[in-house]
Coordinates of all heavy atoms in Angstrom, one line a residue:
E17 N -31.4 23.8 -71.9 CA -31.1 25.2 -72.4 C -29.8 25.7 -71.9 O -29.0 26.3 -72.6 CB -32.3 26.1 -72.0 CG -32.1 27.5 -72.4 CD -33.2 28.4 -71.9 OE1 -34.1 28.0 -71.1 OE2 -33.1 29.6 -72.2
E18 N -29.6 25.6 -70.6 CA -28.4 26.2 -70.0 C -27.1 25.5 -70.5 O -26.1 26.2 -70.8 CB -28.4 26.1 -68.4 CG -29.6 26.8 -67.8 CD -29.5 28.3 -68.0 OE1 -28.5 28.9 -68.5 OE2 -30.6 29.0 -67.8
F19 N -27.2 24.2 -70.7 CA -26.0 23.5 -71.2 C -25.7 23.9 -72.6 O -24.5 24.1 -73.0 CB -26.2 22.0 -71.1 CG -24.9 21.2 -71.4 CD1 -24.0 21.1 -70.4 CD2 -24.7 20.6 -72.6 CE1 -22.8 20.5 -70.7 CE2 -23.6 20.0 -72.9 CZ -22.6 19.9 -71.9
G20 N -26.7 24.2 -73.4 CA -26.6 24.7 -74.8 C -25.9 26.0 -74.8 O -25.0 26.3 -75.6
E21 N -26.3 26.9 -73.9 CA -25.7 28.2 -73.7 C -24.2 28.2 -73.4 O -23.5 29.0 -73.9 CB -26.5 29.1 -72.8 CG -27.9 29.4 -73.3 CD -28.8 30.2 -72.4 OE1 -28.3 30.5 -71.3 OE2 -30.0 30.4 -72.7
V22 N -23.9 27.3 -72.5 CA -22.5 27.3 -72.1 C -21.7 26.6 -73.2 O -20.5 27.1 -73.5 CB -22.2 26.5 -70.7 CG1 -22.4 25.0 -70.9 CG2 -20.9 26.8 -70.2
S23 N -22.3 25.7 -73.9 CA -21.6 25.1 -75.1 C -21.3 26.2 -76.2 O -20.3 26.3 -76.7 CB -22.4 24.0 -75.7 OG -22.5 22.9 -74.7
E24 N -22.4 27.0 -76.4 CA -22.3 28.1 -77.4 C -21.2 29.1 -77.0 O -20.4 29.5 -77.9 CB -23.6 28.7 -77.5 CG -23.6 29.9 -78.5 CD -24.9 30.6 -78.6 OE1 -25.9 30.0 -79.0 OE2 -25.0 31.8 -78.2
A25 N -21.1 29.4 -75.8 CA -20.1 30.4 -75.3 C -18.7 29.8 -75.4 O -17.8 30.5 -75.9 CB -20.4 30.7 -73.8
V26 N -18.5 28.5 -75.1 CA -17.2 27.9 -75.3 C -16.8 27.8 -76.7 O -15.6 28.2 -77.1 CB -17.2 26.5 -74.7 CG1 -15.9 25.7 -75.0 CG2 -17.3 26.5 -73.1
L27 N -17.7 27.4 -77.6 CA -17.4 27.4 -79.0 C -17.0 28.7 -79.6 O -16.1 28.9 -80.4 CB -18.6 26.8 -79.8 CG -18.9 25.3 -79.6 CD1 -20.2 24.9 -80.3 CD2 -17.7 24.4 -80.0
S28 N -17.8 29.8 -79.2 CA -17.4 31.1 -79.6 C -16.1 31.6 -79.1 O -15.3 32.1 -79.8 CB -18.5 32.1 -79.2 OG -18.2 33.4 -79.5
Y29 N -15.9 31.4 -77.8 CA -14.7 31.8 -77.2 C -13.4 31.2 -77.8 O -12.4 31.8 -78.0 CB -14.7 31.5 -75.7 CG -13.4 31.8 -74.9 CD1 -13.0 33.1 -74.8 CD2 -12.7 30.7 -74.3 CE1 -11.7 33.3 -74.1 CE2 -11.5 31.0 -73.6 CZ -11.1 32.3 -73.5 OH -9.9 32.5 -72.9
K30 N -13.5 29.9 -78.1 CA -12.4 29.1 -78.7 C -12.5 29.2 -80.2 O -11.6 28.7 -80.9 CB -12.5 27.7 -78.3 CG -12.3 27.4 -76.9 CD -10.9 27.7 -76.5 CE -10.5 27.3 -75.1 NZ -9.1 27.6 -74.8
D31 N -13.4 29.9 -80.8 CA -13.6 30.2 -82.2 C -13.6 28.8 -83.0 O -12.9 28.6 -84.0 CB -12.4 31.1 -82.8 CG -12.7 31.5 -84.2 OD1 -13.9 31.5 -84.6 OD2 -11.8 32.0 -84.9
V32 N -14.5 27.9 -82.5 CA -14.7 26.6 -83.1 C -15.8 26.6 -84.1 O -16.8 27.2 -83.8 CB -14.9 25.6 -82.0 CG1 -15.1 24.2 -82.6 CG2 -13.7 25.5 -81.1
A33 N -15.7 25.9 -85.2 CA -16.8 25.8 -86.1 C -17.4 27.1 -86.6 O -18.6 27.2 -86.7 CB -17.8 24.8 -85.6
G34 N -16.6 28.1 -86.8 CA -17.1 29.4 -87.3 C -18.0 30.1 -86.3 O -18.7 31.0 -86.7
C35 N -17.9 29.8 -85.0 CA -18.7 30.5 -83.9 C -18.0 31.7 -83.3 O -18.6 32.4 -82.5 CB -19.0 29.5 -82.8 SG -20.1 28.2 -83.3
G36 N -16.8 32.0 -83.8 CA -16.0 33.1 -83.2 C -16.7 34.5 -83.4 O -16.4 35.4 -82.7
Y37 N -17.5 34.6 -84.4 CA -18.1 35.9 -84.7 C -19.0 36.4 -83.6 O -19.3 37.6 -83.5 CB -18.9 35.8 -86.0 CG -20.3 35.0 -85.9 CD1 -21.4 35.6 -85.5 CD2 -20.3 33.6 -86.0 CE1 -22.6 35.0 -85.4 CE2 -21.4 32.9 -85.9 CZ -22.6 33.6 -85.6 OH -23.8 32.8 -85.4
K38 N -19.4 35.5 -82.7 CA -20.2 35.9 -81.6 C -19.4 36.7 -80.5 O -20.0 37.3 -79.6 CB -20.9 34.7 -81.0 CG -21.9 34.1 -82.0 CD -22.7 32.9 -81.4 CE -23.6 32.4 -82.4 NZ -24.4 31.2 -81.9
K39 N -18.1 36.5 -80.6 CA -17.2 37.3 -79.7 C -17.4 37.0 -78.2 O -17.4 38.0 -77.4 CB -17.2 38.8 -80.0 CG -17.0 39.2 -81.4 CD -15.5 38.9 -81.8 CE -15.2 39.5 -83.2 NZ -14.2 38.8 -83.9
K40 N -17.7 35.8 -77.9 CA -17.9 35.5 -76.4 C -16.5 35.5 -75.7 O -15.5 35.1 -76.3 CB -18.5 34.1 -76.3 CG -19.9 34.0 -76.9 CD -20.9 34.8 -76.1 CE -22.3 34.5 -76.6 NZ -23.3 35.2 -75.9
T41 N -16.5 35.9 -74.5 CA -15.3 36.0 -73.7 C -15.3 34.9 -72.6 O -16.3 34.2 -72.4 CB -15.2 37.3 -73.0 OG1 -16.3 37.4 -72.0 CG2 -15.3 38.5 -74.0
I42 N -14.1 34.8 -72.0 CA -14.1 33.8 -70.9 C -15.0 34.2 -69.8 O -15.6 33.3 -69.1 CB -12.6 33.7 -70.3 CG1 -12.5 32.5 -69.3 CG2 -12.2 35.0 -69.6 CD1 -12.7 31.2 -69.9
D43 N -15.3 35.4 -69.6 CA -16.3 35.8 -68.7 C -17.7 35.3 -69.0 O -18.5 34.9 -68.2 CB -16.4 37.4 -68.5 CG -15.2 37.9 -67.7 OD1 -14.6 37.1 -66.9 OD2 -14.8 39.1 -67.9
D44 N -18.0 35.3 -70.3 CA -19.3 34.8 -70.8 C -19.4 33.2 -70.5 O -20.4 32.7 -70.1 CB -19.5 35.0 -72.3 CG -19.6 36.4 -72.7 OD1 -20.3 37.2 -72.0 OD2 -18.9 36.8 -73.7
V45 N -18.2 32.5 -70.7 CA -18.2 31.1 -70.5 C -18.4 30.9 -69.0 O -19.3 30.0 -68.6 CB -16.8 30.5 -70.9 CG1 -16.7 29.1 -70.4 CG2 -16.6 30.6 -72.4
R46 N -17.8 31.6 -68.1 CA -17.9 31.5 -66.7 C -19.4 31.7 -66.2 O -19.9 31.0 -65.4 CB -17.0 32.4 -66.0 CG -15.5 31.9 -66.1 CD -14.6 32.9 -65.5 NE -13.2 32.3 -65.6 CZ -12.1 33.1 -65.7 NH1 -12.2 34.4 -65.7 NH2 -10.9 32.6 -65.8
E47 N -20.0 32.8 -66.8 CA -21.3 33.2 -66.4 C -22.3 32.0 -66.8 O -23.1 31.6 -66.0 CB -21.7 34.4 -67.2 CG -23.2 34.8 -66.9 CD -23.6 36.1 -67.7 OE1 -22.8 36.8 -68.2 OE2 -24.8 36.3 -67.8
E48 N -22.1 31.5 -68.0 CA -23.0 30.3 -68.4 C -22.7 29.1 -67.6 O -23.7 28.3 -67.3 CB -22.8 30.1 -69.9 CG -23.2 31.3 -70.8 CD -24.7 31.7 -70.6 OE1 -25.5 31.0 -70.1 OE2 -25.0 32.8 -71.1
A49 N -21.5 28.9 -67.2 CA -21.1 27.7 -66.4 C -21.8 27.8 -65.1 O -22.3 26.8 -64.5 CB -19.6 27.5 -66.3
I50 N -21.8 29.0 -64.5 CA -22.5 29.2 -63.2 C -24.0 28.9 -63.3 O -24.6 28.3 -62.4 CB -22.3 30.6 -62.7 CG1 -20.8 30.9 -62.3 CG2 -23.2 30.9 -61.5 CD1 -20.3 30.0 -61.2
D51 N -24.6 29.3 -64.5 CA -26.0 29.0 -64.7 C -26.2 27.4 -64.7 O -27.2 26.9 -64.1 CB -26.5 29.6 -66.0 CG -26.7 31.1 -65.9 OD1 -26.7 31.6 -64.8 OD2 -26.8 31.7 -67.0
V52 N -25.3 26.7 -65.3 CA -25.4 25.3 -65.3 C -25.3 24.7 -63.9 O -26.1 23.8 -63.5 CB -24.3 24.6 -66.3 CG1 -24.3 23.1 -66.1 CG2 -24.6 25.0 -67.7
I53 N -24.4 25.2 -63.1 CA -24.2 24.7 -61.8 C -25.5 25.0 -60.9 O -26.0 24.2 -60.2 CB -23.0 25.4 -61.1 CG1 -21.7 24.9 -61.8 CG2 -23.0 25.1 -59.6 CD1 -20.4 25.7 -61.4
I54 N -26.0 26.2 -61.1 CA -27.3 26.5 -60.4 C -28.4 25.6 -60.8 O -29.1 25.1 -59.9 CB -27.7 28.0 -60.6 CG1 -26.7 28.9 -59.9 CG2 -29.1 28.3 -60.1 CD1 -26.8 30.4 -60.4
M55 N -28.5 25.3 -62.0 CA -29.5 24.4 -62.5 C -29.3 23.0 -61.9 O -30.3 22.3 -61.5 CB -29.5 24.4 -64.1 CG -30.7 23.7 -64.7 SD -32.1 24.7 -64.3 CE -33.4 23.5 -64.7
G56 N -28.1 22.5 -61.9 CA -27.7 21.2 -61.4 C -28.1 21.1 -59.9 O -28.7 20.1 -59.5
F57 N -27.8 22.2 -59.1 CA -28.2 22.2 -57.7 C -29.7 22.1 -57.6 O -30.2 21.5 -56.6 CB -27.6 23.4 -57.0 CG -26.3 23.1 -56.4 CD1 -25.1 23.7 -57.0 CD2 -26.1 22.3 -55.3 CE1 -23.9 23.5 -56.5 CE2 -24.8 22.1 -54.8 CZ -23.7 22.6 -55.4
S58 N -30.4 22.8 -58.4 CA -31.9 22.8 -58.3 C -32.4 21.5 -58.5 O -33.4 21.1 -57.9 CB -32.5 23.8 -59.2 OG -32.4 23.4 -60.6
L59 N -31.8 20.7 -59.4 CA -32.2 19.3 -59.6 C -32.0 18.4 -58.4 O -32.7 17.4 -58.2 CB -31.6 18.7 -60.9 CG -32.0 19.3 -62.2 CD1 -31.1 18.8 -63.3 CD2 -33.4 19.1 -62.5
L60 N -30.9 18.7 -57.6 CA -30.6 17.9 -56.4 C -31.6 18.2 -55.3 O -31.8 17.4 -54.4 CB -29.2 18.2 -55.9 CG -28.1 17.8 -56.8 CD1 -26.8 18.3 -56.3 CD2 -28.1 16.3 -57.1
F61 N -32.4 19.3 -55.4 CA -33.3 19.7 -54.3 C -34.7 19.8 -54.8 O -35.4 20.7 -54.3 CB -32.7 21.0 -53.7 CG -31.4 20.8 -53.0 CD1 -30.3 21.4 -53.7 CD2 -31.3 20.2 -51.8 CE1 -29.0 21.2 -53.1 CE2 -30.0 20.0 -51.3 CZ -28.9 20.5 -51.9
L62 N -35.1 18.9 -55.6 CA -36.5 18.9 -56.1 C -37.4 18.6 -54.9 O -37.0 17.8 -54.0 CB -36.7 17.8 -57.1 CG -36.0 18.0 -58.5 CD1 -36.1 16.8 -59.3 CD2 -36.7 19.2 -59.2
P63 N -38.6 19.2 -54.8 CA -39.5 19.0 -53.7 C -39.8 17.5 -53.6 O -40.0 16.8 -54.6 CB -40.7 19.8 -54.1 CG -40.2 20.8 -55.0 CD -39.1 20.3 -55.7
D64 N -39.9 17.0 -52.4 CA -40.2 15.6 -52.1 C -39.1 14.6 -52.6 O -39.3 13.4 -52.5 CB -41.6 15.2 -52.7 CG -42.7 16.0 -52.2 OD1 -42.6 16.3 -51.0 OD2 -43.6 16.3 -52.9
E65 N -38.1 15.1 -53.2 CA -37.0 14.2 -53.7 C -35.6 14.7 -53.4 O -34.6 14.3 -54.1 CB -37.2 14.0 -55.2 CG -38.5 13.3 -55.6 CD -38.6 13.0 -57.1 OE1 -37.6 12.7 -57.7 OE2 -39.7 13.1 -57.6
A66 N -35.5 15.7 -52.5 CA -34.3 16.3 -52.2 C -33.2 15.4 -51.7 O -33.5 14.5 -50.9 CB -34.5 17.5 -51.2
M67 N -32.0 15.6 -52.1 CA -30.9 14.8 -51.7 C -30.4 15.4 -50.4 O -30.3 16.6 -50.2 CB -29.8 14.9 -52.8 CG -28.6 14.0 -52.6 SD -27.5 14.2 -54.0 CE -27.0 12.6 -54.2
S68 N -30.1 14.5 -49.4 CA -29.6 15.0 -48.2 C -28.2 15.6 -48.4 O -27.4 15.2 -49.3 CB -29.5 13.9 -47.1 OG -28.4 13.0 -47.4
E69 N -27.8 16.5 -47.5 CA -26.5 17.1 -47.6 C -25.4 16.1 -47.5 O -24.4 16.1 -48.2 CB -26.3 18.2 -46.5 CG -25.0 18.9 -46.6 CD -24.9 20.0 -45.5 OE1 -25.9 20.5 -45.0 OE2 -23.7 20.4 -45.3
K70 N -25.6 15.1 -46.6 CA -24.6 14.0 -46.4 C -24.4 13.2 -47.7 O -23.3 13.0 -48.1 CB -25.0 13.1 -45.3 CG -24.1 12.0 -45.0 CD -24.6 11.1 -43.8 CE -23.8 9.9 -43.6 NZ -24.3 9.0 -42.6
D71 N -25.5 12.8 -48.3 CA -25.5 12.1 -49.6 C -24.9 12.9 -50.7 O -24.2 12.4 -51.5 CB -26.9 11.6 -50.0 CG -27.4 10.4 -49.0 OD1 -26.5 9.8 -48.3 OD2 -28.6 10.2 -49.1
M72 N -25.2 14.2 -50.7 CA -24.7 15.0 -51.8 C -23.2 15.1 -51.7 O -22.4 15.0 -52.6 CB -25.3 16.4 -51.7 CG -24.8 17.3 -52.8 SD -25.6 19.0 -52.8 CE -25.0 19.6 -51.3
I73 N -22.7 15.4 -50.4 CA -21.2 15.4 -50.2 C -20.5 14.1 -50.6 O -19.5 14.1 -51.2 CB -20.9 15.8 -48.8 CG1 -21.3 17.3 -48.6 CG2 -19.4 15.7 -48.5 CD1 -21.3 17.8 -47.1
K74 N -21.2 13.0 -50.2 CA -20.6 11.7 -50.5 C -20.5 11.5 -52.0 O -19.5 11.1 -52.6 CB -21.5 10.6 -49.9 CG -21.0 9.2 -50.1 CD -21.9 8.2 -49.5 CE -21.6 6.8 -49.8 NZ -22.5 5.8 -49.1
E75 N -21.6 11.9 -52.8 CA -21.6 11.7 -54.2 C -20.6 12.7 -54.9 O -19.9 12.3 -55.8 CB -23.0 11.9 -54.8 CG -23.1 11.7 -56.3 CD -22.8 10.3 -56.7 OE1 -22.7 9.3 -55.8 OE2 -22.7 10.0 -57.9
F76 N -20.5 13.9 -54.4 CA -19.5 14.9 -54.9 C -18.1 14.3 -54.8 O -17.3 14.4 -55.7 CB -19.6 16.2 -54.2 CG -20.5 17.2 -54.9 CD1 -21.7 17.6 -54.3 CD2 -20.1 17.8 -56.1 CE1 -22.5 18.5 -54.9 CE2 -21.0 18.7 -56.7 CZ -22.1 19.1 -56.1
N77 N -17.8 13.8 -53.6 CA -16.5 13.2 -53.4 C -16.2 12.1 -54.3 O -15.1 12.0 -54.8 CB -16.3 12.9 -51.9 CG -16.1 14.1 -51.0 OD1 -15.6 15.1 -51.4 ND2 -16.6 14.0 -49.8
R78 N -17.2 11.2 -54.5 CA -17.0 10.0 -55.3 C -16.7 10.5 -56.8 O -15.8 10.0 -57.4 CB -18.2 9.1 -55.3 CG -18.1 7.9 -56.1 CD -19.4 7.0 -56.1 NE -20.4 7.6 -57.0 CZ -20.4 7.5 -58.3 NH1 -19.5 6.8 -58.9 NH2 -21.4 8.0 -59.1
K79 N -17.5 11.5 -57.3 CA -17.3 12.0 -58.6 C -16.0 12.7 -58.7 O -15.3 12.6 -59.8 CB -18.5 12.8 -59.0 CG -19.8 12.1 -59.1 CD -19.8 10.9 -60.1 CE -20.0 11.5 -61.5 NZ -20.2 10.5 -62.5
L80 N -15.6 13.5 -57.7 CA -14.4 14.3 -57.8 C -13.2 13.3 -57.8 O -12.2 13.5 -58.5 CB -14.3 15.3 -56.6 CG -15.2 16.5 -56.8 CD1 -15.2 17.3 -55.4 CD2 -14.8 17.4 -58.0
N81 N -13.3 12.3 -57.0 CA -12.2 11.3 -57.0 C -12.0 10.6 -58.3 O -10.9 10.4 -58.8 CB -12.4 10.2 -55.9 CG -12.2 10.8 -54.5 OD1 -11.4 11.8 -54.3 ND2 -12.8 10.2 -53.5
K82 N -13.1 10.3 -59.0 CA -13.1 9.7 -60.3 C -12.5 10.6 -61.3 O -11.7 10.3 -62.1 CB -14.6 9.3 -60.7 CG -14.7 8.6 -62.0 CD -16.1 8.3 -62.3 CE -16.3 7.7 -63.7 NZ -17.7 7.3 -64.0
W83 N -12.9 11.9 -61.3 CA -12.4 12.9 -62.2 C -10.9 13.1 -62.0 O -10.1 13.2 -62.9 CB -13.1 14.2 -62.0 CG -12.7 15.3 -62.8 CD1 -13.0 15.5 -64.1 CD2 -11.8 16.4 -62.5 NE1 -12.3 16.7 -64.6 CE2 -11.6 17.2 -63.6 CE3 -11.1 16.8 -61.3 CZ2 -10.8 18.3 -63.6 CZ3 -10.4 17.9 -61.2 CH2 -10.2 18.7 -62.4
E84 N -10.5 13.2 -60.7 CA -9.0 13.4 -60.4 C -8.2 12.2 -60.9 O -7.2 12.4 -61.5 CB -8.9 13.5 -58.9 CG -7.4 13.8 -58.5 CD -7.3 14.0 -57.0 OE1 -8.0 13.3 -56.2 OE2 -6.5 14.8 -56.6
S85 N -8.7 11.0 -60.7 CA -8.0 9.8 -61.2 C -7.9 9.9 -62.8 O -6.8 9.5 -63.3 CB -8.8 8.6 -60.8 OG -8.2 7.4 -61.3
K86 N -8.9 10.3 -63.5 CA -8.9 10.4 -64.9 C -7.8 11.4 -65.3 O -7.1 11.2 -66.3 CB -10.3 10.7 -65.5 CG -10.2 10.8 -67.0 CD -11.5 11.3 -67.5 CE -11.5 11.4 -69.1 NZ -10.3 11.7 -69.8
M87 N -7.8 12.6 -64.6 CA -6.9 13.6 -65.0 C -5.5 13.1 -64.8 O -4.6 13.5 -65.6 CB -7.2 14.9 -64.1 CG -8.5 15.5 -64.4 SD -8.8 16.0 -66.1 CE -7.7 17.2 -66.3
E88 N -5.2 12.4 -63.7 CA -3.9 11.9 -63.5 C -3.5 10.9 -64.6 O -2.3 10.9 -65.1 CB -3.8 11.2 -62.1 CG -3.9 12.1 -61.0 CD -4.0 11.5 -59.6 OE1 -4.1 10.2 -59.5 OE2 -4.0 12.2 -58.6
R89 N -4.4 10.1 -65.0 CA -4.1 9.1 -66.1 C -3.9 9.9 -67.4 O -3.0 9.5 -68.2 CB -5.3 8.1 -66.3 CG -5.4 7.0 -65.3 CD -6.4 6.0 -65.7 NE -7.7 6.4 -66.1 CZ -8.7 6.7 -65.3 NH1 -8.7 6.5 -64.1 NH2 -9.9 7.0 -65.9
D90 N -4.6 10.9 -67.7 CA -4.4 11.7 -68.9 C -3.1 12.4 -68.9 O -2.3 12.4 -69.9 CB -5.5 12.8 -69.0 CG -6.8 12.2 -69.4 OD1 -6.9 11.0 -69.8 OD2 -7.8 13.0 -69.4
E91 N -2.6 12.8 -67.7 CA -1.3 13.5 -67.6 C -0.2 12.4 -67.9 O 0.8 12.7 -68.6 CB -1.1 14.1 -66.2 CG -1.8 15.3 -66.0 CD -1.7 15.9 -64.6 OE1 -0.8 15.4 -63.8 OE2 -2.5 16.8 -64.2
I92 N -0.3 11.2 -67.4 CA 0.6 10.2 -67.6 C 0.7 9.9 -69.1 O 1.7 9.7 -69.7 CB 0.3 8.9 -66.8 CG1 0.6 9.2 -65.3 CG2 1.1 7.7 -67.2 CD1 0.0 8.2 -64.3
D93 N -0.5 9.7 -69.7 CA -0.6 9.4 -71.1 C 0.1 10.5 -72.0 O 0.8 10.3 -73.0 CB -2.0 9.3 -71.6 CG -2.7 8.0 -71.1 OD1 -2.0 7.1 -70.7 OD2 -4.0 7.9 -71.1
N94 N -0.1 11.8 -71.6 CA 0.5 12.9 -72.3 C 2.0 12.8 -72.2 O 2.7 13.2 -73.1 CB 0.0 14.2 -71.8 CG -1.5 14.5 -72.2 OD1 -1.9 13.9 -73.2 ND2 -2.2 15.3 -71.5
E95 N 2.5 12.4 -71.0 CA 4.0 12.3 -70.8 C 4.5 11.2 -71.7 O 5.6 11.4 -72.3 CB 4.3 12.1 -69.4 CG 4.1 13.3 -68.4 CD 5.0 14.5 -68.8 OE1 6.2 14.3 -69.1 OE2 4.5 15.6 -68.9
I96 N 3.8 10.1 -71.8 CA 4.3 9.0 -72.6 C 4.3 9.4 -74.1 O 5.2 9.0 -74.8 CB 3.3 7.8 -72.4 CG1 3.5 7.2 -71.0 CG2 3.6 6.7 -73.5 CD1 2.6 6.1 -70.6
D97 N 3.3 10.2 -74.5 CA 3.2 10.6 -75.9 C 4.3 11.6 -76.3 O 4.6 11.7 -77.5 CB 1.9 11.2 -76.2 CG 0.7 10.2 -76.2 OD1 1.0 9.0 -76.3 OD2 -0.4 10.7 -76.0
K98 N 5.0 12.2 -75.4 CA 6.1 13.2 -75.7 C 7.3 12.5 -76.3 O 7.8 11.6 -76.3 CB 6.4 13.9 -74.5 CG 5.4 15.0 -74.1 CD 5.8 15.8 -73.0 CE 4.8 16.8 -72.6 NZ 5.2 17.7 -71.5

């Protein structure tokens, strides 16, 4: 549900696929994104299955490094395309 709401806000804010009539703002996008983050954290801390802080930080760092690497590759690709 939360992911659908943030998607709807982005589509409206960017006026994609006729969704601009909803007049969502960047503040709406941010609000919905925060809801997604809160939901994600709640999944990490399910009773009897909670992720340790150490493991969570390790996984965050692994995923952030992967994302950073992809962003760097995309920047290089964009420069080559110019």
Side-chain angles (χ1 to χ4, degrees):
E17 177 187 5
E18 298 299 343
F19 191 76
E21 290 175 5
V22 77
S23 297
E24 179 183 295
V26 169
L27 291 173
S28 173
Y29 174 65
K30 293 293 187 176
D31 194 16
V32 175
C35 293
Y37 72 93
K38 295 180 180 180
K39 304 289 187 209
K40 298 290 185 176
T41 66
I42 190 63
D43 288 335
D44 295 316
V45 172
R46 290 174 178 151
E47 178 183 343
E48 297 302 342
I50 294 295
D51 287 344
V52 169
I53 291 167
I54 291 168
M55 193 66 195
F57 271 107
S58 72
L59 293 172
L60 295 175
F61 297 104
L62 292 171
D64 301 323
E65 297 182 37
M67 186 178 222
S68 72
E69 184 177 341
K70 180 181 174 183
D71 287 343
M72 184 177 63
I73 290 169
K74 182 179 174 182
E75 185 64 12
F76 267 111
N77 286 330
R78 185 183 76 79
K79 297 297 280 187
L80 287 171
N81 288 335
K82 182 178 176 181
W83 179 79
E84 183 178 38
S85 177
K86 182 188 181 326
M87 296 305 292
E88 289 171 355
R89 286 192 311 272
D90 287 351
E91 287 177 13
I92 291 169
D93 289 344
N94 288 338
E95 288 297 317
I96 291 172
D97 290 341
K98 286 184 180 179

